[in-house]
Amino acid sequence: RSFASQTDGESRLARVLREKFPQASAIKVVDISGGCGAMYEIHIESEEFREKRTVQQHQMVNQALSEEIKHMHGLRIFTSAPKP
């Protein structure tokens, strides 16, 4: 799907994540609920995740999206640090 066809929810979440993770080299947000905004899949590659365990990385994302998560049914998070 092209960037132009992002849903409002996808662009809103991507914007929040870009603010919270300024060092991110890649951020991808996909509405996997069929467009109703109830469930998202998020992929983030950021230097901020280096040296952190997966659970810590996911906590950082949950913290960044704490307000938005209140209105969701589910969230799939995939995080990584850029390859050195």
Side-chain angles (χ1 to χ4, degrees):
R1 194 163 69 177
S2 74
F3 187 76
S5 66
Q6 271 196 316
T7 66
D8 289 344
E10 288 169 343
S11 0
R12 188 176 65 251
L13 292 179
R15 199 167 41 248
V16 170
L17 291 168
R18 274 194 297 278
E19 286 170 18
K20 306 281 185 172
F21 298 100
Q23 297 176 30
S25 49
I27 292 178
K28 182 178 167 201
V29 178
V30 181
D31 185 334
I32 54 175
S33 63
C36 73
M39 189 160 177
Y40 290 91
E41 184 171 294
I42 293 174
H43 296 259
I44 305 176
E45 179 177 277
S46 179
E47 198 53 53
E48 283 122 315
F49 297 140
R50 193 167 305 289
E51 309 284 318
K52 291 191 169 51
R53 295 191 327 271
T54 303
V55 69
Q56 294 171 310
Q57 296 173 10
H58 289 202
Q59 286 169 339
M60 291 167 69
V61 175
N62 281 315
Q63 182 76 39
L65 295 175
S66 57
E67 277 307 305
E68 290 76 10
I69 286 174
K70 293 175 184 172
H71 309 286
M72 292 180 202
H73 293 292
L75 183 61
R76 280 194 212 148
I77 302 171
F78 298 90
T79 53
S80 62
K83 303 283 179 271

